[in-house]
Structure formats: structure tokens, C-alpha cells
């Protein structure tokens, strides 16, 4: 009997990462469900019990902005499982605001978790993924393709993620590693609540941007009324784990596909990959 494949998922205390861990375990994988505070594992462990997959979920501490926690976690995974077959870069956080209203430190913090966290995880996991001929799946966003008002820092980080992964994909393929980015539209996770925004205070402080910010919050409320569930957004991640040849880019809903189609001609990334693969073979 072969041992189950192992996937490490970042940011599994809630939302898409939690649902992806359950989905991966249901698909027969061992899910290393990482979170920066394992004290927040209760929701995941309850969901795992309900789904009957608790024996295939292992919670470990990992903060994507803390290099020591990345190394320690990966070392443990390899010591305990002997392999890593996939990495799901899911951890991320929103950053609402515009550049005149945000401190540079806030912009840097958004890049740190949403971009450098992905880079650090991918860099650390690649030797193991080369050994297993595995894959890297990264949760980007429709904001990785379409820049959106009051999301400059967040979209810049997600654009950076997409540029990084699109560049890495043809090269990683030469050493047997598949690279995929997943672009959700609105998802009813803790994503918005986790920002703890004081909307009246933000509007008060927004000066000349106040009417635009008010309009933006109204738009966001209505768009999130049609949000996907985390399980719906996680399903394509699990498909990308199990597919023979996952595409480079996957939108998680028709809404997301239609939205990014306003800017992308190469929706699944196959045209760019076909071109750039010729550079490295
Ligand atoms: P969520 O419920 O807020 O989950 C985000 C997860 O990331 C949480 O588990 C959070 O942990 C974790 N996280 C934050 N900073 C971290 C760090 N430094 N190290 C490790 N984990 C960290 O939101 P979600 O919607 O599931 O977000 C998952 C991904 O989907 C993100 O990359 C997000 O950008 C992307 N996305 C979301 C939406 C949406 O509408 N929800 C749309 C497009 C893309 P804590 O509990 O410790 O904070």
C-alpha cells in the first residue's frame, strides 16, 4: 500500500484554507493544516470530525512571515511523513485603503503576508516538491488580475504573486513541479471581518476620498451578497491537487471568470505557458 500524499496548506484557521484542508483530506490526502496560532484550530477540527477525516488532518504552527516557523514546520513534515507532494499558499489578508490614507508600513505589511509569505513558502518547499514531482497551488484573487480602488496594496501584492508564479511555472515544469494560481472572487470567509475595520472612523478620516470610500463600501457590501462559500472556493483547489495536469490559472466562479475576463485574454494561462515553456527546453 502506498502512503497517502501530503499537502501543506497555509492559513487554515478559517475560510478557504480550512475548507481546502477538509477537501484535501476527503480526497484521501494527508493535510498538514498550518496556522499562525494553533489555538484557533477548533473550527477546523470540528469540521474534520463532521467530515470523518480527522485522522488525515494534522495541525501545525506556521506563520508565513516568520522564516523560522516555516523551516521548523517543513522539517517536521519531512521527518514525520518523509515527503511533501503539494503546497497550497492560501494565507493572506485584506488591506482596504488608498495610499494617502495608509502608512507605508501598512503597505509593506500587506506585501509581507500576501507576497513575501508566498515567496518564502515556495522557496522552502521547492526542494521537497522537486523530489516528489509535486505542485504549488497559490490562492491569488481576482485582485491579482484586476486592480481595484481602495485595494492598491492588496492588489499590488496579488499582482506580484501572479507575476512570480507565471514566471516560475515554465521553469518549475522542467523539474517536474506544476504551478497553479487560483483566483476567487468574493468569498464569505473571515476575510473582511479579520480586518476589524471601523468604517465610520475610516470615512471620517478619508477627507477628499470620503464619498468614493462610501461608494466603495456600498459596492463591496452588494458584491459580497453574492459571495461563494469557502467550500465552493476551495473545490477548485482540491481539483488542482488531484488533476493530472492542472491549468496555470483557475477562477473559482463564473463571477470571477467574467470579472478577470475584462483584462485577461489568457484566462487559464495556457497561452503564456505554451510560449514561455519554449524558452527553457
Ligand atoms: P480568512 O478567513 O481571513 O482566512 C485567511 C487565513 O490566513 C486565516 O487562517 C489567517 O489566520 C491566515 N493568515 C493571515 N496572516 C497569516 C500569516 N502571517 N501566517 C499564516 N497565516 C496567516 O480569509 P479567506 O478568504 O479564507 O482568505 C484565504 C485566501 O483567499 C487569501 O489569500 C485571500 O487573499 C484570498 N482571497 C479571498 C477572497 C475573499 O473574498 N474572501 C477573495 C479573493 C481571494 P489568522 O486566523 O491567524 O488571522
Amino acid at each position: 500500500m502506498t502512503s497517502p500524499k501530503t499537502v501543506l496548506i497555509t492559513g487554515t484557521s478559517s475560510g478557504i484554507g480550512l475548507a481546502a484542508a477538509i477537501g484535501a483530506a476527503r480526497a484521501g490526502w494527508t493535510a498538514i493544516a498550518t496556522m499562525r496560532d494553533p489555538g484557533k484550530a477548533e473550527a477546523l477540527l470540528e469540521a474534520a470530525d463532521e467530515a470523518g477525516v480527522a485522522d488525515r488532518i494534522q495541525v501545525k504552527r506556521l506563520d508565513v512571515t516568520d522564516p523560522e516557523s516555516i523551516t521548523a514546520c517543513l522539517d517536521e513534515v519531512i521527518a514525520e511523513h518523509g515527503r511533501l507532494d503539494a503546497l497550497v499558499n492560501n494565507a493572506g489578508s485584506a488591506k482596504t485603503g488608498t495610499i494617502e490614507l495608509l502608512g507605508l508600513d501598512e503597505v509593506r505589511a500587506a506585501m509581507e503576508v500576501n507576497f513575501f509569505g508566498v515567496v518564502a513558502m515556495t522557496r522552502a518547499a521547492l526542494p521537497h516538491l522537486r523530489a516528489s514531482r509535486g505542485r504549488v497551488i497559490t490562492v491569488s484573487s481576482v485582485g491579482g488580475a484586476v486592480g481595484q480602488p481602495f485595494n492598491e496594496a492588496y492588489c499590488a501584492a496579488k499582482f506580484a504573486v501572479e507575476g512570480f508564479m507565471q514566471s516560475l511555472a515554465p521553469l518549475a515544469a522542467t523539474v517536474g513541479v506544476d504551478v497553479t494560481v487560483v483566483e476567487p472572487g468574493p468569498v464569505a470567509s473571515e476575510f473582511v471581518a479579520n480586518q476589524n475595520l471601523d468604517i465610520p472612523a475610516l470615512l471620517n478620516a478619508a477627507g477628499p476620498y470620503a464619498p468614493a470610500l462610501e461608494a466603495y463600501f456600498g459596492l463591496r457590501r452588494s458584491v459580497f451578497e453574492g459571495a461563494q462559500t469557502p467550500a465552493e472556493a476551495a473545490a477548485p483547489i482540491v481539483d488542482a491537487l488531484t488533476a493530472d495536469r492542472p491549468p496555470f490559472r483557475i477562477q473559482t466562479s463564473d463571477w470571477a471568470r467574467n470579472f478577470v475576463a475584462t483584462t485577461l485574454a489568457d484566462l487559464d494561462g495556457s497561452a503564456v505557458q505554451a510560449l514561455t515553456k519554449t524558452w527553457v527546453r
Side-chain angles (χ1 to χ4, degrees):
M1 211 176 93
T2 53
S3 57
K5 287 190 166 187
T6 301
V7 54
L8 187 156
I9 307 173
T10 62
T12 60
S13 66
S14 62
I16 300 169
L18 185 161
I22 301 294
R26 275 188 200 274
W29 289 56
T30 297
I32 312 298
T34 70
M35 55 189 78
R36 53 184 169 173
D37 175 7
K40 290 174 81 174
E42 200 176 318
L44 170 69
L45 295 177
E46 262 176 32
D49 270 340
E50 260 172 46
V53 296
D55 57 333
R56 287 201 289 279
I57 303 252
Q58 196 180 10
V59 175
K60 288 192 184 292
R61 195 189 96 76
L62 192 157
D63 180 332
V64 298
T65 65
D66 171 2
E68 278 174 23
S69 81
I70 294 175
T71 306
C73 183
L74 275 169
D75 286 353
E76 266 182 46
V77 170
I78 299 305
E80 289 167 17
H81 299 274
R83 60 196 283 172
L84 180 69
D85 299 280
L87 164 67
V88 176
N89 287 310
N90 164 77
S93 56
K95 177 48 71 187
T96 303
T98 184
I99 194 63
E100 281 200 84
L101 305 175
L102 293 172
L104 263 190
D105 55 333
E106 292 179 277
V107 177
R108 287 207 168 95
M111 290 299 288
E112 206 53 55
V113 58
N114 292 304
F115 175 62
F116 287 109
V118 167
V119 173
M121 284 305 308
T122 304
R123 184 172 189 273
L126 266 173
H128 308 299
L129 298 175
R130 278 194 288 106
S132 63
R133 301 186 75 78
R135 52 193 56 169
V136 181
I137 300 163
T138 301
V139 182
S140 172
S141 166
V142 294
V146 182
Q148 298 156 46
F150 294 109
N151 281 276
E152 293 140 25
Y154 178 72
C155 289
K158 294 294 193 180
F159 268 60
V161 162
E162 297 232 0
F164 179 92
M165 290 298 169
Q166 194 173 39
S167 305
L168 177 65
L171 188 57
T174 68
V175 292
V177 177
D178 293 313
V179 171
T180 291
V181 295
V182 176
E183 295 176 333
V187 178
S189 61
E190 299 307 313
F191 188 65
V192 173
N194 271 343
Q195 271 197 99
N196 292 317
L197 292 183
D198 180 343
I199 291 180
L202 284 174
L203 287 171
N204 261 335
Y209 298 109
L213 186 57
E214 192 160 17
Y216 168 73
F217 280 133
L219 179 276
R220 188 168 80 172
R221 261 193 305 279
S222 71
V223 165
F224 269 85
E225 276 165 17
Q228 283 187 295
T229 64
E232 287 166 344
I237 298 173
V238 179
D239 291 346
L241 270 182
T242 54
D244 279 346
R245 287 259 79 90
F248 171 70
R249 192 185 291 108
I250 302 172
Q251 296 81 33
T252 67
S253 64
D254 286 343
W255 189 98
R257 237 177 321 280
N258 289 333
F259 190 56
V260 300
T262 54
T263 193
L264 290 183
D266 184 17
L267 275 177
D268 68 357
S270 55
V272 170
Q273 292 304 308
L275 174 71
T276 53
K277 275 184 177 172
T278 65
W279 295 13
V280 284
R281 74 163 174 245

